[in-house]
Structures are given as C-alpha cells and as structure tokens.
Amino acid sequence: MYDAQRLKPAALQLLELLAFIGTSLPEDVLKSIALQLLSEDSQFDEAAYIEGRDALAAEPLIVLEGARKKLVILDTLQNQVLATLSDEKTKRFFEGVTRKIWSEWPAGLPKPSKQPLLPEPKIRGQRLLISRWTICDNMQTTISRLEEIFPILANLSSDMSLLFGKLVTEGAWYQIERGYRSKTLLSILRATDIVLKSDHPDKYGTLCDIRLCLGVLAMESNDTDASRSHKEKSFEIAHKICEEVGVEDERLSLAYAERAIARIQDQQYEDGIADIETSIRIAKQVNSDYVPLSREANLAWALMGQGKLDECDELLAKSLAAREAALGRDDTESARTGLILSAIAALRAAQGDLDESHTYHQRAWNQLRSTVGIRDPCTGRVAHKLAEHLLRVRRADEALVVINQALDAWAVDPLANQNEEARSMFLKSHALAALGKAEAARHVRKRAVDLYNSITKQKCVVNSVTTADFDDIMPFWSR
C-alpha cells in the first residue's frame, strides 16, 4: 500500500485528481482540469501543477510519454487513492472531469434536433472520420475510468447524470466505429439505465442516440432482428422530435439511412430505397457541399438486390466521381470510399466482369488498409472477397495469405464477428485443399461448420454446408 500522505500538498492534490483520469490523456488536457478543479481547494496554480507533476514523476507514480506527454498511471494506485477521498470530493472531481472530457470530445453523432439545455461538445458530426481517432483514443480510457467510478456515486444531479450518459454513449459509438463492439454493450446498457431513469428535458434526444447505437451494434454483430427493432425505435424518436420543432436535419437523415439498412437486410428493397433517397435529400438540403457517403453504397446494394444493374452503375459512378472531386482519388478521410469501391466490385461481378471486379476489390482493399487499417471489419470483408477471386484464378497461396488477414480482423472481436469468422474459415479450407493440404483443410472445414451450426442452431454435417449457406448468415454488404 502506497503512503500518499507523505507527499507534499501539490503532489497529493494532483495524485487525488489522477484517480479519475485514464492512461493516455494528454498533459495539456490534464493540466487544464487540474487548474480548474484543484484551485477550488487552495492556491493551486501552474507552478503548483509543475511541482506536483515533477514530484509524482520522480517517484515514479506517473509517466508522461510522447510529444503530447500522455499520462500513464497504475490503476491499482488509483483505486487506493480513490478510497481515501471524501464523498464530496469524489463527486466534485467526477463531475469536473466529465464536463472537461465532454467539452473536448469530437462527437461522432450529429447535433440534437432540439436545442439542448446541457452543454454541447467541441464539435459534432464527426462520425467515421479518421481525423478524430487519435483524440478519441487519448480520452476513451478516461471515459472508461469514469464508468468504473460512477456506481459508487450518490446524489448526482439530473443534469450531471444525463451529461455522463451522453458521454458514455458517444464513447460507445466510437468503440463501435473502431470495431470493438462486444465490449461496448455494458457501456450502452449503463447509458440506457441512466437515461430511462432521468426526467431531464434532453432525455429523448439521448435515448434516440442510444437506440441508434444499439441498432448499429446489433447489425454489426449479425443480430438483424434486434437491429431492426432498435433502429425503428430510434427513427420514431428522431421523427417525433423533428416534427415537434419543425425541422429536417442530419439527425433525421441519419435515422432514415439506418432504418434503410434494416429494410434492405430484410429484402424490403423498395422501402429501403425510399428511406435512403429521403436521407440523401435531407443531407443535401442541410449541407450544400454534400459529398456522397456510405449510404450511396447501401443504396447500390439495394438496387443490385432488385437487379437494377444499370441504375446501380450510374449511381456508383457519380458517387465515386463526386468523392474524388472533393477529396482526391482513394482518399483517407474515412472508410466510405472503400465501401463505394467494394460495391462497384460486387456490381462488376454481378455483370459478369470478374477481372474488373478484382481490380475494384484490390483498390478498395488498398484504400481501407491505408485508412482504417488491416484489422478493421470493413477491411476484413473486402479481404475475404479478394481471396475468393484469387482462388478462382488458382492463386491459392496468395489467397491463403489474404484469408489469414481477414481472420486476423475478425479476431479483434470474435463474438461479434463469429459469422464472418465461420465463412472465412470455410474459404480457408478451400485454399488449403487447393494447395494439397488435405488434412489441414478437413480440420479447418470442420471448425467452420461447427461454428456455423452454433450460429444457426442446426446440426449440419460437414459436407452438406455450402458457400451459399455461409453467405446467407452475412449482412447484405458482405455477400
């Protein structure tokens, strides 16, 4: 047990505050929090901060790494220090850190349709943008630390509880965006519990966000029934709020786009197309500099599902050209260009041009690897399709390398990606067989079919399951 009381006042004050801070928070943010919160107890100024920081670093109880001096601190020490604090100080520090992280957070979700009473984050509408990832990574651990502390708090105000619920929701959305889906579920459930118990006027806008997160989380985890339910409920809330305030905004546009995904998955193509077209109309109305997004790729999948290949071709050509005009060829703004390229690849395959399909899959793979990385789910999906082509042209050794990269992407979240993992393992068995590794191929195929049976609750024998069966348990954009 570390004896913190032997520290000088400045170091002890800072150490107490650090009990609420997650590893990797940049020092400039930490210093801002310290100067705001610790000056309420004493004359804690910048000189006191430097004195306390240097004393803690000399112990060493903290380490400051890199150009922005990101914080590293032992969580066991944090819990020891937290246990010594009064209820009043614990509450005050928790509230102060929550407000600061929220104010600095580059929020992914659009601004609320109805003017909120609670403060807003620094920026809104950053969904899927790579430019925010480093900032979010640096602050996400502090959100996780606050989540650990929240259950011991009592008598938080309605404002503070809901603000924390909004922060947890945004943190969860970011984690979903990065492919860490399973571990976000507890956070989303905590935010849901906070919001349902709230009587704050901003409650329903936050509940709309939570339902949206749950819908996306379920879709990305192949639970299409749950996804449909949550997205319908999110849409109902968003639509009702927009009707009340008399606006059509990006929140409503996003709600239409996400409901469309559920409808396309259910092969309700006309309804899905109508939703996406409404979503795009609103988005263009809100933003005169509108650039095509992933919703255009989803619209293309719906048109392919209807067999409207010429209309799909025209849509994708215009969408890709617009993105290239605005952002350059194969931009690294987000995964969106890769998703459009992947849809073009699928269209070329449907048109019977497998060589051109391979070219676009290769281009999509390169764009996604350079933008979101090799272990992102979007990259994994394209890697699988690329490997299928390599097997068709009898390049089994190259196919095996690419399949293993797809499997590596699914390993980031095995629970959420088990459908994808099963299909990629099945494809791997074909690659191994083509390379003459019959025993290894049988072993991998059995694992794939065992996982398929676990997912579908069937009892299929190994040789009865086909590639089409595995495709049937995929979301439409992976087929």
Side-chain angles (χ1 to χ4, degrees):
M1 179 76 69
Y2 181 77
D3 182 13
Q5 299 304 315
R6 68 180 181 77
L7 294 170
K8 291 184 178 180
L12 179 58
Q13 285 179 282
L14 186 57
L15 185 63
E16 289 175 345
L17 176 60
L18 289 174
F20 298 80
I21 304 295
T23 291
S24 81
L25 189 72
E27 190 188 10
D28 56 340
V29 180
L30 169 62
K31 182 164 74 171
S32 175
I33 296 172
L35 294 178
Q36 177 184 352
L37 292 179
L38 300 182
S39 61
E40 296 179 20
D41 289 332
S42 62
Q43 296 299 314
F44 193 94
D45 54 16
E46 188 162 349
Y49 170 80
I50 294 171
E51 176 190 341
R53 178 204 65 192
D54 291 348
L56 295 178
E59 287 283 338
L61 297 177
I62 61 170
V63 179
L64 296 166
E65 295 180 339
R68 289 197 70 189
K69 296 183 178 178
K70 290 190 253 183
L71 173 75
V72 178
I73 183 171
L74 295 174
D75 54 2
T76 52
L77 177 59
Q78 288 180 305
N79 291 334
Q80 290 176 23
V81 173
L82 183 65
T84 69
L85 303 183
S86 68
D87 291 346
E88 185 279 328
K89 183 176 283 188
T90 299
K91 179 181 174 183
R92 180 161 59 86
F93 282 6
F94 176 90
E95 292 180 348
V97 174
T98 296
R99 289 192 189 97
K100 181 62 178 178
I101 299 301
W102 177 246
S103 72
E104 295 288 331
W105 187 260
L109 296 167
K111 67 180 181 180
S113 303
K114 185 177 182 180
Q115 184 63 35
L117 300 180
L118 294 174
E120 279 287 278
K122 176 183 288 187
I123 190 170
R124 281 282 192 179
Q126 302 297 292
R127 189 170 52 92
L128 301 180
L129 297 185
I130 306 306
S131 57
R132 80 185 187 115
W133 281 13
T134 298
I135 300 170
C136 292
D137 278 342
N138 290 344
M139 293 194 287
Q140 180 64 47
T141 52
T142 296
I143 298 177
S144 298
R145 178 59 183 162
L146 293 170
E147 286 189 68
E148 293 173 2
I149 297 171
F150 177 76
I152 70 171
L153 296 172
N155 301 320
L156 283 181
S157 68
S158 176
D159 280 15
M160 195 64 238
S161 292
L162 190 62
L163 186 67
F164 180 63
K166 290 165 76 75
L167 178 61
V168 171
T169 302
E170 269 289 343
W173 177 270
Y174 171 67
Q175 295 280 63
I176 295 169
E177 199 172 288
R178 294 301 307 273
Y180 308 127
R181 292 164 297 207
S182 294
K183 71 179 186 180
T184 67
L185 185 57
L186 287 178
S187 295
I188 289 289
L189 293 177
R190 177 175 289 114
T192 304
D193 184 62
I194 291 169
V195 173
L196 290 178
K197 291 176 179 176
S198 175
D199 58 359
H200 195 280
D202 291 352
K203 165 181 178 174
Y204 290 103
T206 309
L207 186 58
C208 179
D209 289 346
I210 290 172
R211 288 293 190 185
L212 183 65
C213 283
L214 286 167
V216 172
L217 176 62
M219 183 65 187
E220 292 285 345
S221 303
N222 298 297
D223 187 347
T224 55
D225 290 340
S227 178
R228 182 191 316 108
S229 175
H230 287 301
K231 288 183 177 185
E232 289 283 0
K233 289 173 182 176
S234 177
F235 178 85
E236 289 170 6
I237 298 170
H239 193 267
K240 182 178 180 181
I241 293 173
C242 284
E243 276 193 330
E244 288 175 355
V245 297
V247 299
E248 286 187 327
D249 62 2
E250 182 55 31
R251 280 286 177 108
L252 186 60
S253 175
L254 180 58
Y256 271 109
E258 290 297 331
R259 188 174 72 168
I261 291 173
R263 291 179 164 183
I264 295 169
Q265 181 66 27
D266 291 340
Q267 298 184 7
Q268 297 175 7
Y269 294 123
E270 288 296 337
D271 290 339
I273 288 170
D275 273 355
I276 294 185
E277 288 177 343
T278 301
S279 171
I280 293 172
R281 175 186 64 77
I282 295 172
K284 289 179 176 179
Q285 179 179 298
V286 170
N287 182 6
S288 58
D289 297 323
Y290 176 80
V291 176
L293 304 167
S294 54
R295 59 196 70 175
E296 276 78 5
N298 293 332
L299 177 55
W301 284 104
L303 292 170
M304 278 188 269
Q306 292 184 314
K308 298 178 179 178
L309 303 189
D310 290 342
E311 188 177 340
C312 178
D313 207 342
E314 181 181 1
L315 166 71
L316 289 171
K318 287 182 178 179
S319 299
L320 183 60
R323 284 193 68 82
E324 289 181 349
L327 302 167
R329 180 181 170 89
D330 298 348
D331 64 273
T332 57
E333 177 241 28
S334 67
R336 289 162 174 149
T337 292
L339 298 178
I340 290 174
L341 290 168
S342 180
I344 295 174
L347 173 63
R348 294 292 178 264
Q351 293 169 329
D353 191 342
L354 297 182
D355 288 339
E356 189 76 356
S357 174
H358 170 66
T359 298
Y360 276 102
H361 271 135
Q362 183 72 57
R363 188 174 162 191
W365 194 46
N366 291 337
Q367 191 273 341
L368 290 166
R369 284 189 300 170
S370 64
T371 304
V372 295
I374 61 174
R375 303 192 77 192
D376 188 270
C378 294
T379 313
R381 291 174 194 133
V382 175
H384 181 97
K385 303 304 290 184
L386 185 60
E388 286 181 336
H389 176 84
L390 291 170
L391 273 178
R392 278 195 297 267
V393 296
R394 301 186 179 184
R395 291 157 62 180
D397 52 346
E398 295 175 61
L400 186 59
V401 172
V402 178
I403 293 167
N404 284 335
Q405 291 191 19
L407 286 167
D408 195 39
W410 309 141
V412 170
D413 191 341
L415 183 60
N417 295 325
Q418 59 181 342
N419 294 39
E420 287 80 2
E421 182 185 4
R423 185 175 68 152
S424 291
M425 279 200 296
F426 189 71
L427 186 64
K428 182 175 181 176
S429 74
H430 286 283
L432 290 168
L435 291 169
K437 300 179 179 180
E439 184 60 33
R442 281 193 294 271
H443 176 69
V444 172
R445 181 169 297 193
K446 183 180 184 305
R447 287 175 56 204
V449 173
D450 285 346
L451 187 51
Y452 173 86
N453 285 335
S454 174
I455 293 164
T456 62
K457 312 303 181 189
Q458 298 184 49
K459 296 180 180 180
C460 299
V461 297
V462 171
N463 292 330
S464 69
V465 185
T466 66
T467 297
D469 292 322
F470 282 96
D471 285 343
D472 285 344
I473 61 172
M474 294 293 111
F476 62 83
W477 51 55
S478 293
R479 292 172 185 165

